[in-house]
Amino acid sequence: MVNPGAPPDAFARGVTLALDAAASIGTVAVLRDGVLADARTIVMRSAAEERYLPAVLASLEAAGATAARVDRVICGAGPGSFTSLRVAGAVAKGIAMGTGCPLYGVPSLALIVAASEDTRGGGRWLVTLDAMRGDRYLALVTVGADGDVTAVTPLGLAPAVSVAGRAEALEARVIGPGERLEGTPHARGVVRCLGLIAAAGVVELGRWEPVYGRLAEAQVKRDEAEARARAAADLARG
């Protein structure tokens, strides 16, 4: 397991753009030579305007950079909000394709732990994120004594009522939106995940997509409606 205690050489030089939108807000962070230079949050949903890409460009400008000068992009890989993850993923891939720079992924649930100052002491964390319908996305995240995230084990979907029991069984503390220790994913957390990200390596740009966890609610409703229609048609045919 990679845990160098300092940014790997791949991230210690130039401009790193980090994006994540696994929750109801989008987040952006810009690192210069491995050091956080700017970070911000964006309310994603707006029928009147596109907010995320302008915020990305504004964050780069605040850090003294431009999209054309990005040396690498790191994108939250989910699971989480279907629509928001698609937006962040599209921006990340567009910038990487346009500049020819590499794209890296990072588990969005790891960014919940890595963005929190309360997790710097190390230990095991059961991370939760709302998956709707009474469920939570879960992951077990390990933090080293130096505060860096060293391991992430996805645990899939689980009922919200089972979280406390899972945490006790795993000997882990719980963190996430609405939990006793509140936390949400933020792109600035990549600073504490660089060893993990470097170990995972560059993604295949043409094929990479975030892990959505489950279909969008609208897609689920369409699928259910189509299933009912097929059942009715079969019944009518006798």
Side-chain angles (χ1 to χ4, degrees), residues 45-234:
R45 295 184 179 182
S46 171
E49 58 183 345
E50 165 55 43
R51 294 174 171 173
Y52 195 62
L53 181 56
V56 171
L57 299 178
S59 187
L60 285 165
E61 182 178 8
T66 66
R69 292 178 55 196
V70 170
D71 294 290
R72 64 199 63 84
V73 181
I74 302 171
C75 188
S81 168
F82 183 90
T83 302
S84 296
L85 280 171
R86 284 179 66 89
V87 170
V91 171
K93 292 176 73 172
I95 291 175
M97 288 179 178
T99 63
C101 73
L103 173 64
Y104 298 82
V106 60
S108 295
L109 297 186
L111 296 178
I112 294 178
V113 173
S116 172
E117 291 297 315
D118 294 314
T119 64
R120 286 191 175 274
R124 290 156 59 90
W125 297 89
L126 181 63
V127 190
T128 79
L129 187 64
D130 186 18
M132 303 180 66
R133 305 172 215 161
D135 291 333
R136 297 289 186 270
Y137 299 116
L138 299 180
L140 181 65
V141 176
T142 303
V143 177
D146 61 358
D148 285 351
V149 172
T150 61
V152 181
T153 304
L155 299 176
L157 281 167
V161 295
S162 72
V163 169
R166 294 287 294 273
E168 183 177 359
L170 292 166
E171 298 182 339
R173 290 167 285 180
V174 181
I175 182 173
E179 303 293 352
R180 179 176 296 181
L181 181 55
E182 181 79 23
T184 55
H186 198 295
R188 67 175 181 269
V190 299
V191 174
R192 295 173 58 193
C193 297
L194 293 180
L196 194 76
I197 294 165
V202 178
V203 304
E204 188 176 345
L205 190 56
R207 300 178 61 182
W208 180 82
E209 292 288 342
V211 176
Y212 299 113
R214 70 187 342 164
L215 293 175
E217 192 71 16
Q219 182 65 54
V220 171
K221 291 179 180 178
R222 284 196 295 271
D223 290 347
E224 291 174 346
E226 290 172 1
R228 289 194 296 270
R230 286 194 299 270
D234 291 344

